[in-house]
Amino acid sequence: MTSPRSQARRRHPKRTVSRELDEQTELGEVYVRSLMRAQLRLSFVVLGGVGLAVGLLPAVLTLIPSLSWLHIGPLSVTWVLVGTMLYPFLLVVARSYLRAAERVEHDFDELMGRS
């Protein structure tokens, strides 16, 4: 005699997202591609913003030639702008980029159930 449960539909074990990644299935590849796309999008946004800001600085200094005649101590205002404003700006952008990249990875880890 056979059990009446032998005819019942068998359930397949639930596959977790991290298991999909570990086994390198197509679904796991989709998740990894989405992470890489998010990181690439963030990189392009930051690169575009920095490029625009750094590119506009020489344009502004060229359009306002009177700034080259102004001096703060022994340095012209143009050098002060480049030396004291550009580098802190780049540090703030780098720190912001790092936080945003960590947030993207944290969100991905939450999706994977690792956090």
Side-chain angles (χ1 to χ4, degrees), residues 33-51 92-107:
R33 261 187 264 130
S34 71
L35 171 66
M36 291 172 62
R37 216 175 303 124
Q39 291 172 335
L40 186 64
R41 188 178 321 116
L42 176 64
S43 298
F44 281 143
V45 166
V46 170
L47 181 64
V50 168
V92 167
V93 169
R95 184 177 210 123
S96 300
Y97 172 77
L98 180 63
R99 285 184 179 163
E102 287 174 346
R103 189 171 44 248
V104 166
E105 290 182 13
H106 181 265
D107 292 345

Side-chain angles (χ1 to χ4, degrees), residues 44-79:
F44 281 143
V45 166
V46 170
L47 181 64
V50 168
L52 185 66
V54 172
L56 282 178
L57 184 61
V60 168
L61 295 176
T62 302
L63 292 173
I64 308 173
S66 61
L67 288 178
S68 64
W69 296 103
L70 294 175
H71 288 287
I72 298 176
L75 300 173
S76 70
V77 171
T78 56
W79 282 107

